[in-house]
Amino acid sequence: MRILSGIQPTGEMHIGNYLGAWKRLVELQTSNECFYMIADLHALTVPQKANELAQATLQKAVELLSIGIDPEHSTLFVQSHVSAHTELAWILNTLTPLGELERMTQFKEKSKKYRANINAGLLDYPVLQAADILLYLPDGVPVGKDQIQHVELTRELAKRFNATYGAIFKEPKALVAKEEEGAKIMSLKDPKKKMSKSDPPDTWIGIFEDEGIIKRKIASATTDSGKDVAYNPAKKPGISNLLTIYSLVAEQPIRAVEKKFQKKGYAPFKKAVAELLISKLRPLRSEKKQLESREVYLREILRQGAKKANAVASRTMEEARRKVGFLQI
Ligand code: TYM
């Protein structure tokens, strides 16, 4: 299969991003053709500082390589290095009813959060994401649950373009894990809400965070009434979230984890979750430390990635231009 996925450059990768999508994206590399993108254009929809964006983008490349994204297997590139993304987004805009964008959950949430900056880009965000995807003609788009709506719109826009101008685009499938397999890792403080890097730091765990901080954050994670370590997202969202995290990191089924901690109570279970996370994340941290000093190497990977991504995207874009009816010279 051809696979495409993306991540925004800002904020440190947290265990929601990792367990919900990127751990699988690492596994998918061996037997698929993968395009992985750092979505710096998307990051502009909320206020950014110009002097920090490039650094954050490079840092995201470090993070992706540290978790195991392998440039020998995958094309790792930066969205703004491939201008076809914005070009196709414009064409897709003209096929997108405004009402469909206004209904998007992420738009509604972000426009509440950033009331002082409800810009057109925030509304148009999913159309750019559709362009990101369609240009590469992928079969699958592995993402967390929060992105399903965007992939559905992508399929809709592919259909609409194909019907209006002639068939070019594939209708890719969102590849989403099951709920207990990390589709949505929840906030540590409010386990009914998804873990999000734009929320306060005590609600999420960065995958490269200090061991002491991981311990503290897990210890202070919201749990539920009662004292059984049991998986029941409706009645015990806090403990269920921790069980999901443990199960994914240990690569053991939730039932087995439940059994292991059945009679032990919350505090020893939380301690075990923290210890497991710390030991599994430790090698990623040391990988990151090494890569951080290799800026020339990092830039070269992104240069090669841009070249490969541009080759594919510009071919699709050329075809789209022709179908739309732009003058050829
Ligand atoms: P972003 O940067 O918010 O998140 C990156 C990936 O992490 C997943 N994710 C989660 N999964 C489970 N639980 C959570 N709490 C959680 N939080 C985040 C996201 O679903 C995503 O898979 N718009 C995208 C970036 C993007 C993209 C694309 C993705 C741009 N173009 C094209 C796929 C294809 C975003 O903001 O992801």
Side-chain angles (χ1 to χ4, degrees):
M1 283 204 301
R2 184 180 279 183
I3 298 287
L4 178 132
S5 201
I7 186 165
Q8 294 200 49
T10 44
E12 183 176 316
M13 183 185 286
H14 55 66
I15 58 172
N17 304 129
Y18 183 59
L19 300 174
W22 285 87
K23 187 167 180 283
R24 279 187 300 140
L25 291 168
V26 172
E27 290 154 10
L28 284 164
Q29 292 179 111
T30 42
S31 47
N32 299 282
E33 187 192 5
C34 301
F35 289 85
Y36 294 149
M37 185 192 72
I38 302 172
D40 57 347
L41 296 171
H42 276 115
L44 288 188
T45 54
V46 300
Q48 301 295 342
K49 296 202 175 86
N51 59 349
E52 289 171 10
L53 185 59
Q55 200 46 44
T57 304
L58 207 55
Q59 187 60 23
K60 193 55 64 185
V62 166
E63 293 183 8
L64 294 175
L65 296 171
S66 307
I67 63 166
I69 297 301
D70 179 357
E72 296 289 320
H73 277 107
S74 306
T75 302
L76 175 63
F77 68 102
V78 177
Q79 187 183 29
S80 69
H81 294 170
V82 184
S83 55
H85 291 238
T86 42
E87 192 180 351
L88 181 62
W90 175 255
I91 297 173
L92 297 178
N93 270 332
T94 63
L95 297 168
T96 312
L98 209 47
E100 283 184 27
L101 298 180
E102 285 163 344
R103 273 200 297 278
M104 292 282 160
T105 311
Q106 191 171 306
F107 170 67
K108 287 196 257 177
E109 280 173 2
K110 285 204 177 164
S111 41
K112 247 189 248 155
K113 210 167 195 164
Y114 300 97
R115 265 182 215 287
N117 181 26
I118 308 180
N119 60 80
L122 205 54
L123 181 71
D124 201 33
Y125 183 112
V127 180
L128 178 60
Q129 185 161 346
D132 297 338
I133 297 170
L134 295 179
L135 279 172
Y136 298 87
L137 311 174
D139 304 287
V141 184
V143 282
K145 195 174 171 192
D146 60 324
Q147 298 295 324
I148 294 181
Q149 233 186 358
H150 294 166
V151 182
E152 270 161 13
L153 177 74
T154 303
R155 292 166 60 83
E156 196 47 47
L157 289 178
K159 227 183 277 171
R160 225 168 272 162
F161 183 103
N162 290 347
T164 310
Y165 295 116
I168 303 182
F169 297 119
K170 276 193 184 167
E171 288 172 44
K173 286 201 177 66
L175 307 176
V176 184
K178 292 190 201 121
E179 200 92 339
E180 69 270 26
E181 289 166 0
K184 198 169 177 187
I185 301 292
M186 300 305 198
S187 155
L188 296 179
K189 288 293 181 193
D190 179 0
K192 298 240 171 199
K193 259 179 72 184
K194 78 162 181 176
M195 182 177 285
S196 165
K197 57 193 157 200
S198 52
D199 286 339
D202 58 345
T203 64
W204 50 264
I205 291 180
I207 65 168
F208 303 104
E209 260 184 322
D210 275 359
E211 306 191 346
I213 296 180
I214 297 184
K215 260 190 210 151
R216 207 191 58 223
K217 285 187 181 178
I218 295 281
S220 68
T222 303
T223 42
D224 319 286
S225 53
K227 48 184 193 284
D228 289 342
V229 177
Y231 185 78
N232 183 338
K235 292 204 177 121
K236 289 176 154 278
I239 283 295
S240 302
N241 192 36
L242 294 177
L243 273 167
T244 305
I245 293 170
Y246 190 104
S247 144
L248 287 166
V249 179
E251 299 184 354
Q252 288 167 12
I254 289 205
R255 298 291 160 226
V257 184
E258 249 180 352
K259 216 162 161 193
K260 187 164 168 180
F261 293 99
Q262 217 166 27
K263 298 255 152 37
K264 301 235 163 86
Y266 290 167
F269 172 56
K270 283 172 131 184
K271 195 160 167 253
V273 176
E275 275 164 11
L276 177 72
L277 270 170
I278 288 168
S279 73
K280 291 284 178 162
L281 296 177
R282 194 174 289 137
L284 310 191
R285 259 206 2 230
S286 58
E287 193 61 34
K288 173 169 165 265
K289 218 176 202 159
Q290 289 199 0
L291 279 164
E292 271 167 343
S293 58
R294 301 183 64 195
E295 193 166 329
V296 176
Y297 167 74
L298 293 168
R299 285 181 190 272
E300 187 51 31
I301 287 173
L302 295 178
R303 207 182 342 262
Q304 293 299 330
K307 211 165 141 190
K308 284 197 249 168
N310 262 303
V312 177
S314 60
R315 217 176 304 132
T316 316
M317 197 60 231
E318 191 53 42
E319 182 75 11
R321 276 195 211 108
R322 226 190 306 272
K323 294 272 195 214
V324 167
F326 291 138
L327 176 67
Q328 309 282 311
I329 46 171

